[in-house]
C-alpha cells in the first residue's frame, strides 16, 4: 500500500497514528450509548494501515542493519581465527531482533479473543522465541514470518529453522488470569454483543495486572501494532493503557500469540 | 440535548419534523399563504413538541441506550391525523399527531372542571355539545417496535406499499409491518460467523420510491447493494452492487474512512440514487453498477487535512444529502455552517452559509467561496479559518417547493426561493 505521505498536513508518522487510534478505541468504551461498531471498524483500518507502514519501515531498517551485521559477523569470524581481543556481546543486534519478535507475541492476543460461553478454552500459549531474552541474543538472528490469513508461523534463522525454546513454561502460570480477563466476546470490543451470546462484558474491563514495561518505546509500539495485527479481532476490551499492554509479561499472561509479519 | 439530529419534511411539505439528541421531536407547520402577501410562502412555526424517546439502560449488557433520535420518517397521510416513525439506537416508535379544536361541554354527571357532581343534585338532563376550543396538537405513541436490533439503528424507510417499513442497524436489516410490533422479518444479515472477519457494516438503507420490492443499502466500504425481496426471504445476495474502483493515486491511511458512505437517497423518479461519502456526492444510475454517472466534490480541500480531521474525530461525521422536488438539484452540508447545492442540469454548484451573523432574515444568501490556493481573494474564506465544530449534517428539501431546511448544531434554518 503506497501512502501519499506528502499530502498529509500533520505529523503523520505511523506511531502517532497508532497511538491516536488506540486512544480512540479506549475512549469509545466509556462513551454513552455503547461502543459504536462502525467507528471502531474504521479506526481499526487506520490502525492496520499505520501498522503496515510502520512495520515495513522498521524491517527495511532492520534489513539494512542485518546486512551490516553480516559484514560484521564475517569480520568477527576472521577475528576468531586470530583471537586478539574478546568479542563484544552482540547486544545491539539482540535488541534489534527483540523488537520484531515482541510484536509477534502481542499479535496473538487478538486471535485469542473468542466468544465467551460455548467456545473452547484459550489455546495453550505458543512458545516464546528465545530471542526475546537478551542472553540468547547472541545466538539469535532470526526472522519470523506470519501468514495473517492462515496464522501459520515460520521462523527462519540465518538459513536454518530455529527451535523455539520453552520459555512458555514460565509464562504459563500467568496465562490463567490473563485468559480470564480476555475471555470475552470478540464483538463486544466493537459493538453491542448479541443477546443470544452471553457477554462477559465487565470482565473485559478488568485491568490487566500491572507489569513493568520493558523495552524501548519503539518496541512497545511494535507490540501494540501487532496486537491489532489480526484485523478487527485485535480490538480487545483490555484497558488500552499503553504501558500495561505493551509490557512483555502482560503479553505473556494473555496466552497465545502470533509473531509479526516480516516483509523481506 | 438541543443538538438537532434529524430533519424531515412530510409528503406535502406542510410539516417539518426535527429530532434532537435529547429524544425530543419538534414539528413545524407552514402557515397558509396569506392573502396580504400572495407572493410569500407561509412561515414555519412550531406545531407540536413531544418527548419521543427516553434514555434507557440495558441491564443485560450494561449499556446505556441513547435517547437521541437518529431518524424520523413520515407516513403518507391517510386521514386527519399525521403519523411519523421516529427511532433511536434500538427502538422505533410510531407517533400519531392529531389536532383537537373542539371539546364537549355540558356533561350531566361531571362539572366543567372534571369533578363529579352529586347524582342527587341532577334534576334535568342535557345533551353535551361540542364547543370550539384553542387548537391543541396531541402526539401519542401508537406502536412501539422494540427488541429487534442488537446493533445501532442507522436508518428507517417506509415502503411505497404504505404497510411495511425497514429498519437497518450496522449488520442487519429488518422488515416490519406497521400494525405488528411483536415480530419483524430479517431480510439482510451481514454479520460474519466469526466477528474477527468483520470488514464492513451497513451505513444506510432505503426503499425504492415506487417499487415496493426493491431497497438499497450502503456499506462502510463504499458499496451500495440493491436487493429484490421477491428473490428470496433473506436478501443477502444482492441483485445489483454499485461500486466505483478506488483511485490508487488517492490512497492514504484514511482511504477506508473517507470511502464509507454516510447516506443514500433515491431520486423522486426512482431512476437514480445519490450517495454521500466524506468528500463527495455521487449520483448513480440504477442501470449502471460500474461507476456513478455524476460526482460532485463537496470539500476537496479537506483531503490534505485528513490527519487533523481524524485527530478531532471530524472525519467520522456522517453528512446527509437530499434531492429537490424534481431531482434537478442536490444538496449536502459541510463545515463552518456551509451547505452546498449542485445543479445537475446547469452543472453549477454554490456554497451558502447558515448563520445569523452573516445573513439577516429576508435577505438574500450570498454565495461563499473558499480559497484553496495561496492567494486569498477578498471575501474568500481560507481553509484554515474554517470552524470544524460548526457542521451541517442534516438538510431537507421541500418535496414540491424550493424551500430548504438546514440544521446547524443547535439551530434550524429555513430558506426559500426568492419569488417575484
Amino acid at each position: 500500500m503506497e501512502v501519499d505521505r506528502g499530502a498529509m498536513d500533520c505529523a503523520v508518522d505511523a506511531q502517532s497514528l497508532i497511538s491516536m487510534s488506540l486512544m480512540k478505541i479506549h475512549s469509545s468504551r466509556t462513551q454513552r450509548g455503547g461502543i459504536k461498531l462502525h467507528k471502531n471498524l474504521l479506526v481499526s483500518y487506520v490502525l492496520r494501515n499505520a501498522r503496515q507502514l510502520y512495520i515495513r519501515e522498521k524491517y527495511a531498517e532492520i534489513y539494512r542493519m542485518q546486512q551490516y551485521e553480516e559484514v560484521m559477523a564475517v569480520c568477527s569470524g576472521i577475528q576468531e581465527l586470530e583471537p586478539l581481543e574478546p568479542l563484544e556481546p552482540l547486544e545491539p543486534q539482540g535488541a534489534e531482533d527483540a523488537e520484531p519478535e515482541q510484536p509477534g507475541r502481542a499479535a496473538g492476543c487478538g486471535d485469542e479473543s473468542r466468544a465467551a460461553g460455548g467456545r473452547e478454552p484459550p489455546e495453550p500459549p505458543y512458545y516464546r522465541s528465545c530471542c526475546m531474552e537478551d542472553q540468547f541474543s547472541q545466538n539469535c538472528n532470526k526472522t519470523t514470518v506470519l501468514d495473517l490469513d492462515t496464522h501459520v508461523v515460520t521462523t527462519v534463522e540465518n538459513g536454518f529453522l530455529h527451535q523455539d525454546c520453552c520459555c512458555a513454561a514460565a509464562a504459563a502460570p500467568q496465562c490463567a488470569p490473563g485468559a480470564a480477563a480476555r475471555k470475552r466476546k470478540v464483538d463486544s470490543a466493537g459493538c453491542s454483543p448479541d443477546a443470544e451470546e452471553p457477554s462477559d462484558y465487565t470482565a473485559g474491563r478488568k485491568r490487566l495486572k500491572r507489569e513493568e514495561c520493558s523495552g524501548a518505546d519503539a518496541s512497545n509500539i511494535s507490540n501494540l501494532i501487532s496486537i491489532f495485527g489480526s484485523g478487527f479481532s485485535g480490538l480487545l476490551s483490555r484497558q488500552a493503557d499503553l504501558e500495561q499492554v505493551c509490557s512483555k509479561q502482560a503479553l505473556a499472561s494473555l496466552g497465545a500469540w502470533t509473531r509479526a509479519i516480516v516483509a523481506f | 440535548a438541543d443538538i438537532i439530529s434529524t430533519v424531515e419534511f412530510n409528503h406535502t411539505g406542510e410539516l417539518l419534523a426535527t429530532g434532537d439528541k435529547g429524544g425530543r421531536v419538534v414539528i413545524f407547520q407552514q402557515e397558509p399563504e396569506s392573502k396580504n402577501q400572495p407572493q410569500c410562502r407561509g412561515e414555519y412555526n412550531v406545531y407540536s413538541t413531544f418527548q419521543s424517546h427516553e434514555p434507557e439502560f440495558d441491564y443485560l449488557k450494561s449499556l446505556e441506550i441513547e435517547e437521541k433520535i437518529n431518524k424520523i420518517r413520515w407516513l403518507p397521510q391517510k386521514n386527519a391525523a399525521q403519523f411519523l416513525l421516529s427511532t433511536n439506537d434500538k427502538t422505533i416508535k410510531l407517533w400519531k399527531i392529531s389536532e383537537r379544536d373542539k371539546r364537549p361541554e355540558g356533561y350531566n354527571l361531571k362539572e366543567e372542571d372534571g369533578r363529579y357532581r352529586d347524582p342527587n343534585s341532577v334534576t334535568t338532563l342535557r345533551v353535551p355539545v361540542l364547543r370550539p376550543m384553542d387548537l391543541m396538537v396531541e402526539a401519542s405513541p401508537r406502536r412501539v417496535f422494540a427488541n429487534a436490533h442488537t446493533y445501532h439503528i442507522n436508518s428507517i424507510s417506509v415502503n411505497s406499499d404504505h404497510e411495511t417499513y425497514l429498519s437497518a442497524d450496522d449488520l442487519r436489516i429488518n422488515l416490519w409491518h406497521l400494525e405488528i410490533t411483536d415480530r419483524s422479518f430479517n431480510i439482510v444479515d451481514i454479520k460474519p460467523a466469526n466477528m474477527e472477519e468483520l470488514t464492513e457494516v451497513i451505513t444506510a438503507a432505503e426503499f425504492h420510491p415506487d417499487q415496493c420490492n426493491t431497497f438499497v443499502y450502503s456499506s462502510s466500504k463504499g458499496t451500495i447493494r440493491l436487493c429484490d425481496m421477491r428473490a428470496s426471504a433473506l436478501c443477502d445476495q444482492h441483485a445489483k452492487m454499485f461500486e466505483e474502483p478506488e483511485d490508487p493515486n488517492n490512497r492514504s491511511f484514511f482511504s477506508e474512512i473517507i470511502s464509507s458512505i454516510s447516506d443514500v437517497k433515491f431520486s423522486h423518479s426512482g431512476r437514480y440514487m445519490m450517495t454521500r461519502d466524506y468528500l463527495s456526492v455521487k449520483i448513480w444510475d440504477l442501470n449502471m453498477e460500474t461507476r456513478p454517472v455524476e460526482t460532485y466534490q463537496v470539500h476537496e480541500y479537506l483531503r490534505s487535512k485528513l490527519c487533523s480531521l481524524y485527530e478531532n474525530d471530524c472525519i467520522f461525521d456522517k453528512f446527509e444529502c437530499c434531492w429537490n422536488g424534481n431531482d434537478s438539484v442536490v444538496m449536502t452540508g459541510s463545515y463552518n455552517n456551509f451547505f452546498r447545492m449542485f445543479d445537475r442540469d446547469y452543472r453549477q454548484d454554490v456554497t451558502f452559509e447558515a448563520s445569523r451573523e452573516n445573513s439577516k432574515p429576508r435577505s438574500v444568501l450570498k454565495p461563499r467561496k473558499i480559497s484553496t490556493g495561496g492567494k486569498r481573494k477578498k471575501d474568500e474564506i481560507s481553509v484554515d479559518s474554517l470552524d470544524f465544530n460548526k457542521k451541517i449534517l442534516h438538510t431537507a428539501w421541500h418535496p414540491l417547493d424550493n424551500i430548504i431546511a438546514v440544521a446547524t448544531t443547535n439551530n434550524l434554518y429555513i430558506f426559500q426561493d426568492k419569488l417575484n
Side-chain angles (χ1 to χ4, degrees):
Chain A
M1 185 209 80
E2 294 304 315
V3 172
D4 184 11
R5 307 193 77 184
M8 294 298 153
D9 62 326
C10 62
V12 185
D13 57 314
Q15 284 193 14
S16 65
L17 268 186
I18 286 164
S19 54
M20 222 188 286
S21 304
L22 291 172
M23 290 313 295
K24 283 187 198 299
I25 292 167
H26 172 57
S27 61
S28 78
R29 284 196 225 121
T30 51
Q31 255 170 12
R32 213 171 154 245
I35 292 175
K36 306 240 183 308
L37 181 62
H38 183 200
K39 182 176 175 186
N40 279 278
L41 181 64
L42 296 178
V43 169
S44 76
Y45 275 117
V46 174
L47 205 47
R48 183 200 68 173
N49 294 339
R51 171 188 163 272
Q52 284 173 352
L53 184 71
Y54 177 85
I55 287 175
R56 193 174 298 137
E57 288 180 344
K58 202 73 192 168
Y59 286 122
E61 185 192 320
I62 288 165
Y63 184 65
R64 284 193 297 273
M65 282 297 300
Q66 281 185 345
Q67 300 235 293
Y68 172 74
E69 284 150 19
E70 274 163 21
V71 169
M72 290 302 296
V74 168
C75 294
S76 18
I78 294 168
Q79 267 198 323
E80 277 183 5
L81 296 176
E82 309 167 68
L84 298 174
E85 305 115 26
L87 267 175
E88 295 297 321
L90 298 170
E91 279 301 329
Q93 84 189 70
E96 290 286 350
D97 283 340
E99 285 175 18
E101 298 316 319
Q102 284 175 9
R105 282 175 295 122
C109 309
D111 288 340
E112 269 311 292
S113 184
R114 297 268 181 270
R119 305 263 191 157
E120 61 271 358
E123 300 159 43
Y126 289 29
Y127 290 140
R128 196 195 315 193
S129 117
C130 291
C131 267
M132 298 182 213
E133 307 301 327
D134 281 352
Q135 61 264 37
F136 294 106
S137 60
Q138 294 179 39
N139 304 327
C140 293
N141 193 2
K142 40 196 292 248
T143 49
T144 344
V145 182
L146 160 70
D147 185 331
L148 282 172
D149 286 325
T150 62
H151 293 273
V152 171
V153 181
T154 358
T155 312
V156 179
E157 182 188 359
N158 278 354
F160 56 89
L161 279 172
H162 174 82
Q163 283 299 316
D164 290 357
C165 60
C166 38
C167 307
Q174 293 172 329
C175 287
R182 288 177 47 251
K183 193 174 162 185
R184 64 188 311 292
K185 287 188 11 119
V186 171
D187 48 339
S188 57
C191 64
S192 323
D194 278 334
E196 61 266 21
E197 295 167 301
S199 158
D200 200 8
Y201 210 74
T202 50
R205 292 214 168 111
K206 288 177 193 155
R207 297 183 81 80
L208 289 177
K209 281 194 287 197
R210 278 209 167 266
E211 311 282 358
E212 68 241 344
C213 191
S214 67
D217 280 345
S219 67
N220 297 341
I221 296 293
S222 313
N223 298 340
L224 289 163
I225 294 165
S226 305
I227 286 167
F228 297 90
S230 40
F232 194 67
S233 66
L235 293 171
L236 297 177
S237 64
R238 292 190 306 272
Q239 295 285 0
D241 182 324
L242 294 183
E243 289 205 345
Q244 283 184 325
V245 173
C246 69
S247 72
K248 249 200 264 188
Q249 285 162 310
L251 290 167
S253 74
L254 292 171
W257 52 77
T258 53
R259 273 153 275 191
I261 198 167
V262 174
F264 71 103
Chain B
D2 274 350
I3 297 170
I4 298 172
S5 52
T6 185
V7 181
E8 186 82 355
F9 278 102
N10 75 336
H11 293 272
T12 60
E14 185 205 354
L15 297 175
L16 176 66
T18 61
D20 67 23
K21 207 162 167 236
R24 271 186 315 263
V25 171
V26 179
I27 302 176
F28 298 86
Q29 184 189 43
Q30 188 179 29
E31 296 302 320
E33 287 178 22
S34 68
K35 298 184 186 71
N36 300 336
Q37 289 177 306
Q39 305 290 356
C40 210
R41 291 187 207 85
E43 279 189 359
Y44 282 84
N45 297 316
V46 176
Y47 177 66
S48 171
T49 306
F50 57 93
Q51 187 76 30
S52 171
H53 287 73
E54 298 277 1
E56 285 174 54
F57 197 79
D58 181 339
Y59 296 98
L60 186 65
K61 296 167 196 167
S62 295
L63 284 180
E64 196 177 359
I65 300 168
E66 270 193 291
E67 67 276 29
K68 172 168 77 91
I69 307 294
N70 292 334
K71 281 287 178 337
I72 290 174
R73 289 288 181 261
W74 290 92
L75 265 55
Q77 191 172 12
K78 280 191 214 173
N79 51 36
Q82 301 277 356
F83 289 87
L84 60 78
L85 287 169
S86 71
T87 185
N88 68 348
D89 283 340
K90 298 286 183 185
T91 305
I92 307 135
K93 293 186 184 179
L94 176 69
W95 287 88
K96 176 181 176 183
I97 296 110
S98 49
E99 291 182 0
R100 190 193 292 270
D101 61 357
K102 293 182 183 53
R103 64 187 165 99
E105 281 179 17
Y107 283 109
N108 292 294
L109 294 175
K110 274 197 297 186
E111 303 285 1
E112 292 308 324
D113 58 9
R115 279 179 304 139
Y116 281 97
R117 290 169 73 181
D118 177 9
N120 298 326
S121 66
V122 177
T123 52
T124 60
L125 286 178
R126 54 185 175 168
V127 176
V129 292
L130 289 172
R131 297 219 185 279
M133 59 178 260
D134 290 337
L135 178 67
M136 193 166 73
V137 181
E138 298 171 324
S140 58
R142 304 303 287 182
R143 306 269 188 279
V144 177
F145 305 91
N147 301 321
H149 285 280
T150 309
Y151 303 99
H152 298 318
I153 297 175
N154 51 55
S155 312
I156 47 174
S157 177
V158 183
N159 203 345
S160 50
D161 65 8
H162 302 168
E163 285 185 359
T164 57
Y165 74 95
L166 63 76
S167 58
D169 66 26
D170 290 322
L171 297 179
R172 299 195 177 97
I173 301 178
N174 292 330
L175 181 72
W176 302 83
H177 192 284
L178 285 163
E179 299 294 327
I180 300 167
T181 58
D182 62 355
R183 48 179 189 280
S184 68
F185 289 100
N186 176 242
I187 51 176
V188 172
D189 188 342
I190 64 166
K191 187 180 177 195
N194 186 355
M195 275 300 273
E196 291 184 10
E197 293 156 22
L198 181 74
T199 54
E200 64 181 329
V201 297
I202 298 168
T203 52
E206 194 177 57
F207 266 119
H208 190 277
D210 309 315
Q211 298 165 16
C212 57
N213 53 278
T214 306
F215 66 93
V216 292
Y217 67 93
S218 59
S219 85
S220 55
K221 273 193 169 171
T223 62
I224 310 103
R225 287 175 178 80
L226 184 140
C227 300
D228 187 336
M229 294 197 290
R230 299 169 301 187
S232 70
L234 190 60
C235 298
D236 279 356
Q237 303 289 327
H238 54 261
K240 293 193 185 193
M241 176 145 108
F242 300 82
E243 188 176 13
E244 185 177 26
E246 189 194 344
D247 181 2
N249 296 329
N250 279 333
R251 185 98 188 106
S252 75
F253 287 115
F254 311 104
S255 293
E256 285 85 2
I257 301 187
I258 63 171
S259 64
S260 175
I261 292 174
S262 52
D263 194 17
V264 66
K265 290 265 173 39
F266 275 106
S267 64
H268 292 94
S269 63
R271 165 89 190 269
Y272 299 97
M273 65 178 175
M274 164 166 57
T275 57
R276 175 71 155 98
D277 51 68
Y278 190 64
L279 296 178
S280 68
V281 161
K282 294 179 182 172
I283 313 272
W284 302 78
D285 185 326
L286 291 189
N287 299 316
M288 187 164 78
E289 300 166 60
T290 49
R291 57 182 166 80
V293 289
E294 294 153 38
T295 302
Y296 301 103
Q297 300 301 333
V298 181
H299 36 219
E300 181 69 13
Y301 47 81
L302 295 183
R303 193 180 286 275
S304 57
K305 298 204 166 300
L306 293 179
C307 188
S308 332
L309 294 166
Y310 179 71
E311 198 170 0
N312 61 20
D313 271 1
C314 283
I315 206 173
F316 301 105
D317 287 334
K318 294 189 185 161
F319 291 96
E320 292 174 7
C321 52
C322 59
W323 298 84
N324 74 339
N326 60 11
D327 300 335
S328 59
V329 182
V330 296
M331 174 167 68
T332 188
S334 178
Y335 293 103
N336 210 69
N337 282 346
F338 288 162
F339 58 99
R340 304 260 283 140
M341 288 185 188
F342 302 94
D343 190 319
R344 301 173 62 211
D345 299 332
Y346 293 102
R347 295 285 160 165
Q348 287 172 350
D349 62 272
V350 67
T351 306
F352 291 122
E353 183 179 353
S355 81
R356 270 193 276 250
E357 294 83 33
N358 290 328
S359 51
K360 302 187 198 68
R362 308 234 171 269
S363 66
V364 175
L365 277 179
K366 201 176 83 164
R368 300 276 178 223
K369 265 206 139 359
I370 293 106
S371 82
T372 49
K375 284 197 94 149
R376 185 173 77 89
K377 298 195 194 92
K378 184 171 171 273
D379 281 351
E380 276 188 357
I381 295 146
S382 82
V383 178
D384 296 313
S385 66
L386 294 176
D387 188 343
F388 290 99
N389 291 320
K390 293 184 183 165
K391 51 192 91 168
I392 291 177
L393 303 175
H394 311 287
T395 58
W397 205 304
H398 192 287
L400 305 164
D401 278 337
N402 274 345
I403 303 172
I404 57 173
V406 170
T408 58
T409 307
N410 294 111
N411 297 304
L412 181 72
Y413 291 79
I414 299 175
F415 300 105
Q416 57 190 30
D417 233 6
K418 192 157 181 271
L419 295 174
N420 29 25

